[in-house]
Amino acid sequence: QDLLAPLQGETRFGQEVKQLKALVEKEALPEPASEAKRGREEREALYKNTSKDIQKWFPQIHSMNKADQVVLEPQKSIRDSTKAMVSTFDAMDDFEKELQEITQ
């Protein structure tokens, strides 16, 4: 306001005075968060997400810790052999049907 007082009587600065008054009346922008504070907030959010993901493994880990012996079940193979895979093959398109006719 003190800076605008000398310009009040001047008619040639009317537009500038209006613009400056509008700027003065606007709310000030919030202070930008410091880098340390922003980093802390990001780490806190990541920690919460990771903690939520880890919670689903707790029952399994606790049962494995209490068990005398940990048994990991072997992965079952989809096909026992190539012969089993070939015997159950169904041709889907023309190209596969041609290949099936040639190979049999």
Side-chain angles (χ1 to χ4, degrees):
Q1 295 292 347
D2 296 333
L3 296 175
L4 296 177
L7 299 176
Q8 291 295 337
E10 298 286 331
T11 58
R12 63 182 180 182
F13 295 116
Q15 187 70 14
E16 287 80 8
V17 170
K18 287 180 184 178
Q19 289 175 354
L20 289 173
K21 283 184 180 181
L23 287 175
V24 169
E25 292 172 2
K26 285 186 178 179
E27 285 188 33
L29 294 174
E31 289 288 325
S34 68
E35 190 170 329
K37 186 176 180 181
R38 188 177 59 244
R40 189 177 317 118
E41 290 171 353
E42 288 175 5
R43 287 191 306 274
E44 182 179 356
L46 289 172
Y47 176 79
K48 287 180 181 179
N49 288 339
T50 304
S51 296
K52 190 184 342 175
D53 290 340
I54 290 174
Q55 292 294 326
K56 66 181 178 184
W57 295 101
F58 279 160
Q60 182 178 0
I61 292 171
H62 288 301
S63 66
M64 290 172 75
N65 286 340
K66 292 178 185 177
D68 293 333
Q69 182 177 2
V70 176
V71 178
L72 300 175
E73 294 187 22
Q75 293 181 350
K76 297 178 182 178
S77 63
I78 297 172
R79 303 276 187 212
D80 294 330
S81 67
T82 307
K83 186 177 181 180
M85 185 172 68
V86 171
S87 66
T88 60
F89 178 75
D90 292 326
M92 300 293 277
D93 58 9
D94 294 334
F95 180 70
E96 290 178 353
K97 289 177 184 175
E98 278 184 47
L99 285 176
Q100 189 174 23
E101 289 174 5
I102 292 171
T103 56
Q104 290 180 352

